[in-house]
Amino acid sequence: MIEIYKVQTIDGHRIDCTIPSEENVSIDAKELMLFPALIDPHVHFRTPGAEYKEDWKSAAKAAIAGGVTTVLDMPNNTPAASTALALQAKEERVKDQLNAARIPLRYGFYLGADRRHLQEIPKLKESVVGLKIYMGSSTGDLLIDDAGSLKDAFQIAAENDLLVAVHAEDEGLIKERSKHFLDRKDPAVHSEIRSPKVAALAVEHAIRLAEETKARLYIAHVSTKEELALIRSAKKRGLRIYAETTPHHLFLDDSAYAKLGTLALVNPPLRSKQEREAVWEAIHDETIDTIGTDHAPHTLEEKQKPYGSAPSGFPSIEFYFALLLNAHAEKKLSLEQIVSLTHTRPQEIFRLPIDDDIVLVDLSEKRTLGNSMIRSKAGWSPYLGMALQGWPRYTVCKGRLFDLHHIA
Ligand code: NCD
Ligand code: ZN
Ligand code: ZN
């Protein structure tokens, strides 16, 4: 049994609580605050096919360090998780890696939409948390860029009551805009090619398909004012549409290219300060339902390649909670909002079972993000050097206690 004494709750009480466990420990938690463990609805843990970037051993440690005990993993693996066979093989490897790490992380998988395998959807609907559709190209080869297949995918998902999750960037417009920037080699051109319009066009298309087919729609990594206006209006019309944003669209903007160069590449790209402001507003008016890390590790060597060869994506799961707690310390976010965005809404939207995993947080701990704190195999972070106040101290996952000052 894990016994926790005198812990503060976010609504200002002090309580004792116990969690069934094979271990017998008691924690004096007078200085700590109790949170439900975080659910990260959007990760790329790279198994199978790119385990040199990350695997579930390193990623599970990073997740626990970030107060996360449930992750929903994207299908852009090699091979892509778009068939029953691929999903089964992926799950076996994931289980082996979690066993090796001795971390009982909770997880769900997305099914990758591939126009050649849409007929597999009905038999897989109970085994996955959603159907992930890449409307624009990103890491991996999953892409549906023709209107016919896109509508079929929405239709089949709707008939099977499967949530549709989209990477909403319009592939046609990306290709078209690329042609106008061929002479630019600086990474900041990425934000111009994949402009706010590129995202808005795809979001508009996805909402139209959700309306026509009655599919439930989850829009990943929303980063612009125009996308948010479309989502706000769709929600007002009563459509079952949910919006996710990411830590990087809240805490970074396109000024990062000057410091990070190609390390700052991500899809959808970092945006202007005004767009970033619009994302914060949408957190406050609840247009945004969730924050997913989009933890997308690549090695430093890969990230440092020239523009055109360097891959897009940031590792971030280990600092997810600290970034949000720091935003609370800066009075940008309430504790209730953090719980809603990282726990309650993802649990509802993805219909996840209720569990008793928790995180104990030290709201006053201050640490500067340094290399030695990185657990992801990626080995770098776009947030290095940031001083953050508010850190998770203990994570409890399926009755296992992890002391975050002493995890291996
Ligand atoms: C992701 C990745 O590397 O898997 N990259 C990214 O820039 N976000 C893919 C994705 O989510 O688009
Ligand atoms: Zn994406
Ligand atoms: Zn992603």
Side-chain angles (χ1 to χ4, degrees):
M1 195 143 78
I2 301 170
E3 296 177 296
I4 298 165
Y5 294 110
K6 298 209 164 58
V7 69
Q8 293 179 56
T9 61
I10 63 166
D11 52 3
H13 296 96
R14 267 194 196 278
I15 59 166
D16 297 335
C17 66
T18 55
I19 299 172
S21 170
E22 286 173 13
E23 303 164 61
N24 283 312
V25 254
S26 61
I27 299 173
D28 171 357
K30 276 199 289 298
E31 309 298 326
L32 303 175
M33 187 168 274
L34 177 68
F35 282 79
L38 279 61
I39 297 168
D40 186 345
H42 185 158
V43 304
H44 302 266
F45 280 0
R46 304 304 189 204
T47 294
E51 283 129 314
Y52 69 94
K53 295 177 199 261
E54 190 82 283
D55 61 29
W56 285 64
K57 258 174 91 172
S58 49
K61 283 183 195 156
I64 292 291
V68 176
T69 65
T70 302
V71 296
L72 306 183
D73 189 58
M74 288 295 172
N76 58 334
N77 306 117
T78 315
S82 47
T83 61
L85 212 60
L87 272 169
Q88 202 183 352
K90 173 173 173 171
E91 180 153 34
E92 279 166 24
R93 287 186 78 87
V94 165
K95 280 187 174 154
D96 284 349
Q97 291 170 5
L98 287 178
N99 282 336
R102 292 186 291 116
I103 297 179
L105 199 69
R106 301 174 197 269
Y107 61 84
F109 295 151
Y110 290 87
L111 175 66
D114 177 326
R115 62 193 120 210
R116 295 164 305 176
H117 300 300
L118 296 178
Q119 74 286 357
E120 302 228 10
I121 293 173
K123 68 176 182 212
L124 290 171
K125 65 180 177 191
E126 303 297 337
S127 332
V128 294
V129 292
L131 178 70
K132 176 66 186 291
I133 305 180
Y134 281 86
M135 299 172 74
S137 53
S138 194
T139 303
D141 53 15
L142 285 171
L143 176 66
I144 299 195
D145 59 353
D146 71 285
S149 309
L150 207 53
K151 176 143 191 200
D152 290 346
F154 271 74
Q155 189 69 54
I156 299 173
E159 281 161 10
N160 290 280
D161 193 24
L162 187 60
L163 183 73
V164 173
V166 287
H167 176 113
E169 288 188 290
D170 187 85
E171 186 65 11
L173 192 54
I174 296 173
K175 287 210 176 103
E176 161 64 27
R177 291 183 62 78
S178 307
K179 289 187 212 146
H180 302 297
F181 295 98
L182 292 174
D183 56 330
R184 291 268 302 272
K185 301 277 176 279
D186 60 305
V189 71
H190 195 62
S191 292
E192 294 186 53
I193 294 172
R194 294 181 179 244
S195 64
K197 197 82 213 162
V198 165
L201 197 61
V203 164
E204 192 178 18
H205 192 174
I207 291 176
R208 193 163 65 240
L209 290 173
E211 196 153 22
E212 281 168 21
T213 61
K214 308 217 159 31
R216 294 168 72 233
L217 175 64
Y218 183 80
I219 303 176
H221 41 48
V222 172
S223 59
T224 66
K225 195 176 175 132
E226 200 175 336
E227 288 170 286
L228 288 161
L230 291 162
I231 293 165
R232 216 170 261 129
S233 129
K235 285 189 173 200
K236 281 212 182 97
R237 297 204 297 283
L239 299 179
R240 294 181 299 169
I241 290 185
Y242 315 105
E244 169 200 270
T245 194
T246 68
H248 44 279
H249 291 112
L250 287 169
F251 300 113
L252 300 173
D253 55 51
D254 56 12
S255 65
Y257 288 113
K259 190 168 142 216
L260 297 174
T262 50
L263 298 191
L265 294 170
V266 66
N267 299 329
L270 295 180
R271 306 292 190 188
S272 68
K273 292 203 164 49
Q274 293 90 302
E275 300 289 359
R276 180 178 158 189
E277 226 18 78
V279 176
W280 274 104
E281 267 169 41
I283 292 263
H284 293 301
D285 75 8
E286 297 180 6
T287 304
I288 288 176
D289 296 278
T290 67
I291 299 177
T293 59
D294 194 8
H295 177 84
H298 300 282
T299 65
L300 204 47
E301 195 188 345
E302 292 170 315
K303 289 291 286 184
Q304 284 169 336
K305 288 183 179 172
Y307 183 66
S309 311
S312 287
F314 301 147
S316 58
I317 197 165
E318 53 222 294
F319 306 120
Y320 172 38
F321 204 5
L323 287 163
L324 298 177
L325 292 168
N326 186 66
H328 169 71
E330 292 178 346
K331 308 212 179 325
K332 290 191 189 129
L333 211 49
S334 71
L335 298 174
E336 290 77 8
Q337 283 174 310
I338 295 179
V339 172
S340 171
L341 290 159
T342 65
H343 178 80
T344 320
R345 292 299 288 141
Q347 199 247 319
E348 291 166 356
I349 294 166
F350 292 92
R351 300 172 177 165
L352 302 173
I354 290 174
D355 62 57
D356 59 2
D357 293 352
I358 58 156
V359 191
L360 302 179
V361 162
D362 182 346
L363 285 180
S364 59
E365 184 176 10
K366 290 183 187 165
R367 282 157 83 187
T368 299
L369 216 151
N371 269 313
S372 65
M373 293 155 78
I374 295 177
R375 293 179 175 91
S376 163
K377 257 196 201 182
W380 68 281
S381 164
Y383 306 107
L384 273 180
M386 272 177 83
L388 303 178
Q389 177 180 341
W391 287 83
R393 180 67 182 81
Y394 296 95
T395 301
V396 177
C397 178
K398 290 188 189 162
R400 286 272 311 282
L401 176 71
F402 296 89
D403 177 343
L404 305 182
H405 282 176
H406 300 102
I407 78 173

